[in-house]
Amino acid sequence: MAFELIDLPYDDTALEPAVSAKTLSFHHGKHHKAYIDKTNAAIEGTDLAGKSLEEVIASARGSNQGLFNNSAQSWNHGFYWHSMAAEETSASDELKSMIDDAFGSIDNLKSKLAERGAGHFASGWVWLAVKDGKLTIEETHDGDTLADQEGVNPLLVIDLWEHAYYLDHQNARPAYLDAVNGKLNWSFASENLVRGTAWTYPS
Ligand code: MN3
């Protein structure tokens, strides 16, 4: 059983103007699809065929950089699509209280995410995660992921690769981050928090 390109959880115009249908057509239809296709091609006929995407990522980490990059990017993009929502969403009481404890307010958290995302050098991802029981902002470089990291539960992610924003915001990563901050899916973050373990890529 091969991995599939999951559908976007909203219409392709739903995130405009933060993220346009044109960006999604390339980002989901070309970039994400290519990561999935390359992961499938790399594991076909090996003992990783039939494993979960999370197992493939963990197995490839540190031993097969090409497969790691493609499988982790497959996961990260699935998680990223769900990290944004068409409609306004709200955080659970538990998440709100953890945000207040860690960042003072949800607006401060959004500012910190934008600051860390803007300051991240070159390609990567900025995450809201639970680590050692506390909310934290994490960054990963290139295709690296929090999907398989012990004791870390990712709640939300923002893609910092230029392909995520160049068509809509050109080089202005801060403008993209401000726009995406208004589209973050706090319901998804709350579901991830209450589950207590990392989201899994749909199979
Ligand atoms: Mn991307």
Side-chain angles (χ1 to χ4, degrees):
M1 254 243 334
F3 298 113
E4 286 180 8
L5 177 66
I6 60 170
D7 290 337
L8 292 172
Y10 29 71
D11 291 341
D12 64 358
T13 55
L15 303 177
E16 291 187 338
V19 179
S20 67
K22 189 173 183 190
T23 288
L24 288 176
S25 77
F26 287 99
H27 198 184
H28 175 258
K30 305 287 185 197
H31 289 278
H32 192 191
K33 183 175 189 303
Y35 294 128
I36 296 277
D37 289 347
K38 287 177 184 170
T39 299
N40 285 333
I43 63 174
E44 192 180 354
T46 74
D47 58 7
L48 289 175
K51 301 279 191 194
S52 70
L53 188 55
E54 295 76 23
E55 289 172 316
V56 171
I57 293 166
S59 163
R61 182 184 284 281
S63 68
N64 182 340
Q65 192 64 38
L67 177 58
F68 177 76
N69 288 340
N70 284 302
S71 56
Q73 284 291 72
S74 295
W75 194 98
N76 286 354
H77 284 86
F79 192 77
Y80 171 61
W81 308 135
H82 285 284
S83 293
M84 298 178 288
E87 314 289 333
E88 197 169 325
T89 56
S90 55
S92 65
D93 289 345
E94 185 191 7
L95 179 55
K96 270 186 204 148
S97 138
M98 287 178 77
I99 289 171
D100 288 346
D101 286 348
F103 301 100
S105 70
I106 201 155
D107 283 340
N108 281 349
L109 164 57
K110 288 179 183 176
S111 301
K112 285 283 174 207
L113 279 170
E115 191 182 304
R116 295 281 297 272
H120 182 93
F121 183 72
S123 296
W125 301 82
V126 64
W127 309 75
L128 176 66
V130 182
K131 195 173 178 180
D132 304 323
K134 287 188 187 141
L135 286 187
T136 167
I137 294 176
E138 300 289 316
E139 296 170 43
T140 60
H141 287 278
D142 301 318
D144 203 359
T145 185
L146 299 185
D148 63 326
Q149 296 190 18
E150 200 67 38
V152 181
N153 181 16
L155 303 186
L156 292 173
V157 77
I158 302 174
D159 192 336
L160 302 174
W161 289 55
E162 283 187 349
H163 65 226
Y165 58 87
Y166 218 85
L167 292 175
D168 301 324
H169 306 281
Q170 292 73 53
N171 59 319
R173 190 191 284 177
Y176 157 72
L177 289 164
D178 283 344
V180 164
N181 260 334
K183 295 289 181 186
L184 291 176
N185 190 340
W186 298 102
S187 305
F188 180 63
S190 304
E191 287 164 24
N192 291 327
L193 176 65
V194 77
R195 188 189 323 101
T197 54
W199 180 82
T200 53
Y201 192 87
S203 57

